[in-house]
Amino acid sequence: RDSSLWIVFRSGTVSHLSSGGRLTSYGPQHGLPATFQVAESNTGLLVAGTARGLSRFTEGRWEDAPADWQFPGTRGQAVWFDRTGALWVATHDRIVYLPARGARFVDAVMRLTGTAFTGDFAEARDGRIWFAELTRSVHTVPRVGQQRPLTEVLVNSRALLIDRKGSLWIGTLG
């Protein structure tokens, strides 16, 4: 939102490159566990998916996500905000989300098959949420109470994109 860049390195360290060119790095010594991904909401909430769960950036420092969010995972392997501001997270074994005005995480009842991966989320024009799961497929993820059938593309992937025209692009592993 402020034209700066957040960078997550393979080592799990996170760096912030300000629009003025200043680089600041964060790691365990700054309260930030090894990090997989960082996401920013349309309101400026910055969340990191880490090896210990979730962290958020507040007043210039990283802290564990609030206990009242009741995050059910031991890892936050992929984090992403949808258009409504809901925070979606791939944990060590499932996908959960924190509704934009919700007080705690909701289980999307989508179990994950792989471990030691990061995934990718995207949102279609019709509001369907897609997830690229490395050891399974690229598939839709239902919201609680949603009666849409599961749509699945049987290909191993960690990256996907829905372009301006609404086409789903999948980066495959061969």
Side-chain angles (χ1 to χ4, degrees), residues 47 52 54 56 63 67 85 92 106-107 109 118 123 144 169:
V47 175
R52 286 197 335 234
L54 297 178
R56 71 177 179 179
E63 60 185 30
H92 64 287
V106 176
D107 191 336
V109 192
T118 57
E123 184 173 6
V144 170
W169 291 83

Side-chain angles (χ1 to χ4, degrees), residues 26-113:
Y26 302 91
Q29 67 274 28
H30 305 100
L32 184 63
T35 299
F36 301 107
Q37 289 185 346
V38 172
E40 184 177 15
S41 75
N42 54 13
T43 62
L45 174 62
L46 192 68
V47 175
T50 76
R52 286 197 335 234
L54 297 178
S55 294
R56 71 177 179 179
F57 195 68
T58 305
E59 297 178 10
R61 63 184 177 81
W62 287 99
E63 60 185 30
D64 290 341
D68 61 350
W69 282 5
Q70 296 180 16
F71 178 65
T74 58
R75 296 166 68 97
Q77 297 188 165
V79 293
W80 174 78
F81 287 95
D82 68 17
R83 285 190 293 255
T84 71
L87 171 60
W88 291 80
V89 181
T91 73
H92 64 287
D93 68 346
R94 71 185 82 182
I95 294 178
V96 298
Y97 65 98
L98 179 66
R101 288 176 258 316
R104 62 188 173 124
F105 275 90
V106 176
D107 191 336
V109 192
M110 175 61 62
R111 298 296 177 247
L112 300 175
T113 60

Side-chain angles (χ1 to χ4, degrees), residues 127-140:
R128 282 186 297 166
I129 304 299
W130 287 84
F131 185 70
E133 187 175 347
L134 181 63
T135 58
R136 175 181 170 180
S137 65
V138 173
H139 51 82
T140 55

Side-chain angles (χ1 to χ4, degrees), residues 139-160:
H139 51 82
T140 55
V141 180
R143 288 181 173 89
V144 170
Q146 196 174 53
Q147 297 302 319
R148 291 185 179 152
L150 176 73
T151 303
E152 193 165 25
V153 180
L154 297 174
V155 62
N156 296 354
S157 175
R158 326 179 356 170
L160 59 100

